[in-house]
Amino acid sequence: MTEGINFDLFRAGPNAMVLVNPTGVIIDANQAAVLLFQRNDLVGRVVEDLVPLEVRDRHQANREGFFSDPRPRPMGEGRQLSARRSDGTEFPVEISLCPVVTDQGPAVVATIVDISLLRSREREIQEFTGRLESLVEEKTKKLQEANHELETFISTISHDLKAPLRGLSGFSRALREDCGALLPKEGHFYLDQIEVSTRHLSDLIEGLLTLSRISERDLSPTLVDVSRFIEEWARQRGGESGPKAEWSIEPGLSCRADPYLLQVLIGNLLDNAWKYTSKNPSRRIEAFQKEKDGHHWICIRDNGAGFDMAYRNLLFRPFQRLHRQDEFPGLGIGLATCLRIAQRMDGALEAHAEVGKGATMGFSFS
Amino acid sequence: MKRPLLVVEDNPQDEFFILRALDALGILREVARDGEEALLRMLSPQREGPLPCAVFLDIMLPRVNGWEVLRQLRENSRTRYLPVVMFSSSAEPRDLESCYRLGANGYVHKGIDTGEFQKRVQAMAEFWVKTNIPLP
C-alpha cells in the first residue's frame, strides 16, 4: 500500500508514530501512539488535535511549510515541544519527521518520544546543581572570612610585635650610646648579638606582614616591564661586596600582573639567586621566558648552590629552609611568599635545581 | 607664652625615644598618655594654659584612639588647623592614606630601628615647631 515505509516496523516500533497526509489528517497510527496519547480514535483526526491549543495555528503553518520542502528533520529545533492527550493534559516530547510516499500520495511519519522523565531528571539535576552551587558559595564565603580573619590577625600581631622589639633595639642602642664607655669588650659583643637577633626578628615580622598583604591587597593588574625591573635590581645590587655577577636579561620580558605583588615575587627570586651565588667566583644570573603547557613562563636561573630536589616539597613551606644559617642566612619565608603570590594571581611557580650547579625558578600567571 | 609640643603616647618606651629625640633639639614638650587626656588638654573648657603648637599623636591608644582624637580636633573650630602628626607602627599605605584623608599634617612610621625613628621625629619637630609659622 505504501512506498518508502516499512509497516511492520511502523506497527511494532517502540516509539509512537503517526502517518499524516499534507492536509494534516492522520491516516495511520501505531499502538505505541495510541498508548501515548491515550486515545483509540487517532486515525481520521487532524494532527493539530495532538498539539497544545495555543500552538495549533502555528503548527498548521509549519506543516504546510514541511510539505513544500519535505526532508527528514527533527521538529521544532531549539524549542521545547509539548503534545496533548485526549483529556487535555500536556507532556514534553521530541518529534522527528520523515517524508514518505504512500499509495494516497506524499505523507509524513512523525515519531514522537515522551521525554517527561528526561525533563524531570533535568530539573532534578538543575535543582541539585543549584543547591550544590549555593553550598559551595556559602562554604567559600566562610573560608574567605576565616582567611581574612587570619590575615588580620597576622597583620595586627606583626604590628604589635614591633613595639617591644623597638624597645629592645632602642635600649640596647641607648646602652651603647650612653654607657658604652663603661662596658668591657664582651659587653659590646653581647650588644652586637642583641642587635643581630633584633634584626632577624624584625625581618621575620616584615616577612609576615608581606605575606599577609598578599591576600588582603586589592589587585590592580597592569602590564609590567619585567626586564627593566630586573635590570634596575641588578644595577642596585651590583655595587655590593662579593663576586661580580654576569647578568643575562632577555629584553622585552613583560607580564600582566599586580605590580606590587609581581615586584615582591621577582624580588624574592632575585634575592635568592643573588644569595645562593654569592660564593661562586663566576656567578651568573639569567632571566628568560619560555612557553610551556600553553602558558607563558618567566624564569630566573642561577649557577649558585642549588638544592637537592628530594627536598623540593619543603621549598615553598613557610620557615622551612634547605640551607644552614652558617652557609646561607635566611628566614625561609621568601618562596612561601612567592607561592602565595602565584596562587593569588591564579598562576603557578616551579623550581628545578641541582646541588652545586644552581637553580631555576619560574612563574606563570593565567 | 611659648606653646609646647604635645606628645600623645601610651607606650612608655616609645615615649622615651620620642622625648629623647625632642630633648636633643631642645624642644619644649608635654605628654598626654591616652586620647582622653589629650582631648581634655586641648578641648575641655576647664583646660589650663595655651594650646600646643603641634601634636604628635599615636594611633593605637587605649579607649579613645588617635583617629578619634584627630576627628574631634578637626571638628572643633579652635583646633581645626592645629598641626597634627600621626604616629603608627604600621607602614601600610592605606593607613597613611587614611591619616591624610582625615586631616593629619604628617605621618611617622614607628619602625623597629629607633635611630631611624628618632630622625623622623626630629625632622617633623623641626618643621612643625621651628619652621612652620602658625596662623594667627
Side-chain angles (χ1 to χ4, degrees):
Chain A
M1 127 181 174
T2 321
E3 283 175 36
I5 177 164
N6 180 331
F7 268 85
D8 286 341
L9 210 59
F10 182 88
R11 296 207 186 289
N15 289 324
M17 287 192 254
V18 291
L19 184 65
V20 179
N21 73 12
T23 59
V25 176
I26 299 172
I27 51 179
D28 207 342
N30 67 1
Q31 190 56 30
V34 170
L35 288 174
L36 183 62
F37 288 98
Q38 292 168 9
R39 60 201 303 168
N40 288 315
D41 57 350
L42 283 172
V43 175
R45 288 192 163 275
V46 285
V47 73
E48 276 75 26
D49 286 351
L50 305 184
V51 306
L53 294 178
E54 66 273 16
V55 294
R56 258 185 103 99
D57 293 346
R58 196 167 70 208
H59 186 272
Q60 193 176 338
N62 288 347
R63 169 166 54 78
E64 282 156 12
F66 177 84
F67 279 102
S68 70
D69 175 23
R71 56 191 163 78
R73 58 176 177 82
M75 192 172 133
E77 248 179 314
R79 279 187 288 131
Q80 298 212 338
L81 300 178
S82 293
R84 182 168 172 267
R85 297 189 190 93
S86 60
D87 63 2
T89 53
E90 293 176 11
F91 57 100
V93 287
E94 259 171 23
I95 299 172
S96 56
L97 302 174
C98 184
V100 293
V101 180
T102 70
D103 50 8
Q104 296 159 40
V108 58
V109 175
T111 307
I112 305 125
V113 180
D114 180 356
I115 56 167
S116 310
L117 204 62
L118 187 72
R119 282 273 180 275
S120 76
R121 287 278 179 277
E122 274 176 6
R123 259 198 310 279
E124 275 171 31
I125 290 174
Q126 260 171 18
E127 271 173 31
F128 193 71
T129 312
R131 273 211 303 277
L132 205 62
E133 272 170 8
S134 60
L135 200 69
V136 169
E137 208 170 290
E138 192 187 319
K139 292 275 177 215
T140 309
K141 204 168 149 239
K142 274 191 185 151
L143 202 63
Q144 280 170 342
E145 279 168 7
N147 227 343
H148 183 75
E149 227 166 80
L150 188 67
E151 300 301 347
T152 314
F153 173 75
I154 293 176
S155 126
T156 311
I157 283 272
S158 307
H159 284 135
D160 288 351
L161 285 177
K162 277 190 188 175
L165 196 54
R166 186 163 51 244
L168 211 59
S169 144
F171 281 104
S172 60
R173 190 191 180 96
L175 185 63
R176 200 194 289 281
E177 281 173 10
D178 297 359
C179 318
L182 301 173
L183 279 176
K185 225 172 103 197
E186 291 88 344
H188 284 279
F189 173 74
Y190 300 155
L191 279 176
D192 290 343
Q193 296 312 306
I194 293 175
E195 269 167 33
V196 168
S197 294
T198 311
R199 204 166 313 127
H200 187 84
L201 195 50
S202 158
D203 289 345
L204 270 177
I205 291 171
E206 285 306 325
L208 280 174
L209 279 171
T210 307
L211 204 58
S212 73
R213 265 183 225 126
I214 294 167
S215 328
E216 282 187 0
R217 188 176 162 79
D218 294 325
L219 301 183
S220 46
T222 50
L223 194 67
V224 180
D225 185 340
V226 174
S227 298
R228 217 179 90 188
F229 176 75
I230 298 177
E231 280 158 16
E232 180 62 22
W233 196 97
R235 204 179 54 73
Q236 281 181 6
R237 300 295 282 268
E240 287 181 10
S241 61
K244 264 232 153 327
E246 185 192 333
W247 285 87
S248 157
I249 303 163
E250 186 177 325
L253 297 181
S254 67
C255 182
R256 197 174 162 72
D258 182 82
Y260 170 77
L261 292 189
L262 187 64
Q263 281 173 21
V264 172
L265 170 60
I266 300 176
N268 272 321
L269 297 184
L270 292 173
D271 273 335
N272 282 347
W274 188 252
K275 175 164 63 181
Y276 293 112
T277 55
S278 61
K279 291 179 182 168
N280 186 339
S282 53
R283 56 156 74 164
R284 183 178 161 77
I285 300 170
E286 299 162 75
F288 59 94
Q289 58 187 336
K290 66 174 184 185
E291 295 295 322
K292 198 186 113 192
D293 309 329
H295 290 285
H296 177 229
W297 291 76
I298 293 181
C299 305
I300 310 285
R301 177 160 56 211
D302 67 62
N303 61 353
F307 58 86
D308 187 344
M309 286 292 273
Y311 297 118
R312 185 175 41 176
N313 59 330
L314 298 180
L315 202 60
F316 299 114
R317 292 201 202 149
F319 308 116
Q320 286 282 358
R321 299 207 62 226
L322 302 186
H323 297 276
R324 287 173 11 202
Q325 288 292 343
D326 58 356
E327 294 172 322
F328 296 100
L331 303 170
I333 207 169
L335 287 179
T337 305
C338 289
L339 182 64
R340 286 277 283 273
I341 292 175
Q343 286 167 342
R344 180 83 210 271
M345 309 292 291
D346 293 325
L349 187 66
E350 61 165 32
H352 286 283
E354 211 177 312
V355 175
K357 297 214 169 145
T360 306
M361 308 292 304
F363 65 89
S364 104
F365 298 152
S366 57
Chain B
M1 188 172 175
K2 201 153 189 263
R3 293 157 66 193
L5 170 73
L6 180 65
V7 176
V8 191
E9 175 61 75
D10 67 313
N11 181 324
Q13 293 191 338
D14 285 348
E15 180 197 315
F16 175 89
F17 298 127
I18 295 169
L19 297 190
R20 192 173 157 98
L22 294 177
D23 292 349
L25 297 178
I27 285 170
L28 181 69
R29 53 18 176 219
E30 282 179 356
V31 178
R33 295 214 163 79
D34 62 38
E36 277 179 7
E37 191 186 335
L39 286 173
L40 216 62
R41 291 257 189 117
M42 293 183 280
L43 298 181
S44 153
Q46 290 87 42
R47 65 185 183 83
E48 288 167 16
L51 272 178
C53 64
V55 186
F56 283 5
L57 178 60
D58 189 33
I59 292 175
M60 296 297 279
L61 294 168
R63 295 189 294 277
V64 182
N65 67 22
W67 303 115
E68 178 58 21
V69 174
L70 178 63
R71 194 187 65 75
Q72 292 199 28
L73 290 177
R74 289 300 174 250
E75 273 186 359
N76 192 300
S77 59
R78 289 187 54 252
T79 52
R80 183 162 296 151
Y81 301 108
L82 182 64
V84 177
V85 178
M86 306 298 278
F87 281 47
S88 168
S89 284
S90 161
E92 305 296 326
R94 56 157 187 251
D95 289 336
L96 190 138
E97 283 162 22
S98 305
C99 276
Y100 286 113
R101 206 170 37 243
L102 289 170
N105 301 79
Y107 186 89
V108 171
H109 168 224
K110 300 198 288 185
I112 288 159
D113 182 340
T114 48
E116 193 58 41
F117 172 43
Q118 286 174 315
K119 271 189 218 152
R120 289 187 201 138
V121 171
Q122 290 181 330
M124 281 293 175
E126 287 276 5
F127 182 75
W128 289 110
V129 180
K130 294 189 171 172
T131 311
N132 181 52
I133 298 157
L135 292 166

